[in-house]
Amino acid sequence: MRILIVEDERDMAQVLKAGLEEENHLVSLAFDGVSGLEVARACDFDVIVLDVMLPKLDGFEVARRLRAKGNRTPILMLTARDTVPDVVKGLDLGADDYLTKPFSFAVLLARLRAASRRQDGQPTSLLRVADLVLNRATMQVFRGRREINLTATEFRLLEFLMRRPGVVVSRNAIVEAVWGFDDEVNDNTVDAFIRLVRRKIDDPDEEKLIRTVRGIGYALRANQ
Ligand code: CA
């Protein structure tokens, strides 16, 4: 995922960035509300992590202005003030979810996954790599004119790869994205599911899209 973190506590922002990058996310940082708003408007993100207490413009106002301009990027608010009125205010202004500080990194990851899943429900959800098309709204997958039936897990795995075409993703990142933290899933499970998806996506076709990157993981990309 492409994630924007707007957080004025620089140490914390850097720690979050490093942790998320380790999970193969692309992370941008902004340290106050004004620059956060600018970056959010200038680039496309899958989710915005937005602190409430920010210099220049607070998180509530950043959320309000983004939504007023039609920006639909999911917003996860970080609040140190664990009071219901604040949380309600944030949600009313367009935030999708909130997290009370201090929080564990695992919980943050789970909330980010949930936020991006909610966004996936939106109608503009066609992913395309070469002649492979995945429709997140209808849960259909086509390779050329051939419709491919995938299980829910296979679908999530393929979607995860298709959302980052050409990017090499680690088995760990795949486990995290497809199964989440709580499941007892290991590298062999990932390999097994990749084989299943390959059989359906690639085996009948000349052009193979799913690549094995030895020692690292997998990537999905077209030949050209
Ligand atoms: Ca703050």
Side-chain angles (χ1 to χ4, degrees):
M1 282 195 280
R2 289 151 303 169
I3 300 169
L4 170 63
I5 299 174
V6 190
E7 165 65 82
D8 58 312
E9 291 160 53
R10 288 176 185 246
D11 288 350
M12 177 173 174
Q14 296 291 358
V15 167
L16 290 179
K17 182 173 193 277
L20 290 169
E21 283 176 347
E22 205 144 291
E23 301 288 328
N24 278 340
H25 298 297
L26 292 173
V27 182
S28 301
L29 292 182
F31 301 117
D32 64 67
V34 171
S35 60
L37 193 60
E38 275 169 13
V39 176
R41 282 175 175 165
C43 310
D44 253 353
F45 293 96
D46 295 302
V47 61
I48 299 170
V49 178
L50 183 60
D51 190 29
V52 169
M53 299 297 281
L54 289 169
K56 297 187 184 173
L57 212 57
D58 72 22
F60 295 132
E61 187 58 21
V62 173
R64 193 190 65 74
R65 292 193 192 182
L66 283 173
R67 294 302 186 239
K69 292 282 183 195
N71 185 312
R72 304 291 313 144
T73 307
I75 295 175
L76 174 62
M77 284 209 139
L78 301 181
T79 173
R81 299 177 299 174
D82 184 19
T83 61
V84 172
D86 276 348
V87 167
V88 170
K89 185 177 174 189
L91 297 176
D92 278 349
L93 290 170
D96 300 86
D97 197 1
Y98 69 93
L99 200 53
T100 306
K101 293 179 181 176
F103 51 83
S104 77
F105 190 67
V107 170
L108 174 69
L109 284 176
R111 296 296 186 87
L112 290 173
R113 273 201 310 278
S116 79
R117 271 201 298 273
R118 276 194 295 279
Q119 189 186 36
D120 292 347
Q122 290 177 2
T124 55
S125 49
L126 273 189
L127 299 175
R128 182 189 296 272
V129 175
D131 61 346
L132 178 65
V133 177
L134 179 148
N135 187 329
R136 286 176 286 167
T138 63
M139 300 285 285
Q140 285 175 303
V141 176
F142 287 90
R143 182 82 201 260
R145 301 172 64 154
R146 180 169 59 93
E147 181 164 9
I148 296 162
N149 289 310
L150 299 178
T151 65
T153 305
E154 292 166 355
F155 188 92
R156 285 202 302 277
L157 171 58
L158 182 65
E159 181 191 341
F160 181 68
L161 294 173
M162 287 185 77
R163 280 176 70 99
R164 24 190 92 54
V167 175
V168 179
V169 291
S170 69
R171 289 180 177 81
N172 271 345
I174 292 174
V175 169
E176 154 65 17
V178 175
W179 286 274
F181 257 91
D182 303 329
D183 294 82
E184 289 185 7
V185 170
N186 57 35
D187 289 1
N188 292 336
T189 319
V190 174
D191 295 342
F193 271 88
I194 288 281
R195 273 197 300 277
L196 291 170
V197 174
R198 257 190 181 140
R199 198 171 295 159
K200 295 177 178 179
I201 300 293
D202 275 347
D203 280 5
D205 263 79
E206 202 164 309
E207 186 183 11
K208 311 300 179 195
L209 299 176
I210 299 174
R211 321 293 169 110
T212 302
V213 183
R214 195 172 297 176
I216 304 174
Y218 296 97
L220 191 150
R221 64 170 175 270
N223 285 330
Q224 291 303 313

